[in-house]
Amino acid sequence: MNWILGFIGIALLVAGLIGQGFEMRKIRLEKYGENEIGSPNVFTDKRNFKWYAIIGAGIVCWYVAERT
């Protein structure tokens, strides 16, 4: 059971990081255009919070699998 929970945690973590990367690119292109770098405020956009929740759930699952 531990390895299943660990695998789920790693999968959630990877999916969350990749999804957040694509979402942040989409936000940056929408707000600033192709040739602009953007700003640190992209991290606090409300569309990123779902990815933060997925990343957090992955970290918690991975931690629980390691401790049990």
Side-chain angles (χ1 to χ4, degrees), residues 23-36:
E23 189 76 41
M24 287 181 66
R25 181 179 186 275
K26 200 164 52 171
I27 293 167
R28 182 185 58 84
L29 289 175
E30 181 180 293
K31 286 187 179 182
Y32 302 106
E34 184 68 33
N35 296 327
E36 295 288 327

Side-chain angles (χ1 to χ4, degrees), residues 37-48:
I37 293 175
S39 77
N41 293 336
V42 174
F43 287 99
T44 59
D45 193 277
K46 67 179 181 176
R47 291 181 278 180
N48 279 329

Side-chain angles (χ1 to χ4, degrees), residues 1-13 55-68:
M1 180 66 180
N2 291 344
W3 66 272
I4 295 173
L5 193 58
F7 181 75
I8 290 170
I10 291 171
L12 283 173
L13 183 65
I55 292 168
I59 291 172
V60 167
C61 286
W62 193 6
Y63 183 77
V64 168
E66 188 69 28
R67 295 294 176 195
T68 58

Side-chain angles (χ1 to χ4, degrees), residues 12-24 51 55:
L12 283 173
L13 183 65
V14 169
L17 289 172
I18 291 172
Q20 183 194 19
F22 282 114
E23 189 76 41
M24 287 181 66
W51 298 111
I55 292 168

